[in-house]
Amino acid sequence: MAFPAALESILRRYERVLIPEMNMGQLWRVVRSEYAIGAYSLAKVQGRPFTTRELLHHIQRTLELPAGGSSHPLDTKLDRATEAAWEESGG
């Protein structure tokens, strides 16, 4: 897989990298192996695109996680408390 020449230097500027994908996390695995960069995978295989709510939730959640990424994809389900908070805020 060919990536832009500057991709590695761009990714290394950030403590946390979140890679949302509509599959099982193939890009996340390639980025981790190609560049040895810790990243978080947000993989969704439900036949529906991510909602704005889901992406915002996972971006906020990723900012609370340790830098360096994870060796496992993040859970894409929103818990009931998060869902209720979004509903109350009009999200």
Side-chain angles (χ1 to χ4, degrees):
M1 178 176 283
F3 290 111
L7 181 60
E8 182 176 7
S9 64
I10 292 169
L11 292 174
R12 290 197 184 280
R13 291 181 201 162
Y14 299 93
E15 290 182 3
R16 292 166 193 81
V17 175
L18 178 64
I19 302 176
E21 301 182 71
M22 299 299 300
N23 58 41
M24 297 296 289
Q26 288 92 329
L27 178 61
W28 168 68
R29 286 180 179 85
V30 170
V31 166
R32 285 175 41 110
S33 67
E34 190 78 19
Y35 301 120
I37 290 174
Y40 288 100
S41 171
L42 181 57
K44 184 174 180 178
V45 191
Q46 298 172 346
R48 296 179 310 186
F50 287 105
T51 64
T52 303
R53 177 184 303 182
E54 287 174 307
L55 290 174
L56 287 173
H57 169 75
H58 290 292
I59 290 168
Q60 290 170 340
R61 188 169 145 212
T62 301
L63 290 173
E64 296 168 359
L65 295 171
S70 172
S71 60
H72 301 287
L74 299 175
D75 183 5
T76 58
K77 297 180 185 115
L78 297 181
D79 59 50
R80 289 180 186 236
T82 302
E83 202 51 57
W86 275 99
E87 292 301 323
E88 286 178 16
S89 70

